[in-house]
Amino acid sequence: MEADKLMALVEVFEGLEDWRNAQQTRHRLDELLTVAVCAVLSGA
């Protein structure tokens, strides 16, 4: 996947509100969702 297409996918999730406890998170929600979508698309 090209970098610009991946960045466009990250932008889709940027507007979502993160409901998790900020003190207990290591990664941003939009990045986690992007990785999850890529995993599903690749057959994980």
Side-chain angles (χ1 to χ4, degrees):
M1 184 176 271
E2 296 177 19
D4 57 335
K5 291 182 181 178
L6 186 59
M7 288 306 299
L9 185 58
V10 172
E11 291 173 1
V12 170
F13 298 117
E14 283 182 346
L16 295 177
E17 180 182 348
D18 194 352
W19 63 91
R20 303 172 299 158
N21 184 350
Q23 295 176 348
Q24 296 178 347
T25 58
R26 292 184 183 180
H27 304 285
R28 293 180 11 205
L29 180 63
D30 57 338
E31 292 174 352
L32 286 174
L33 292 174
T34 302
V35 170
V37 168
C38 290
V40 169
L41 291 175
S42 67

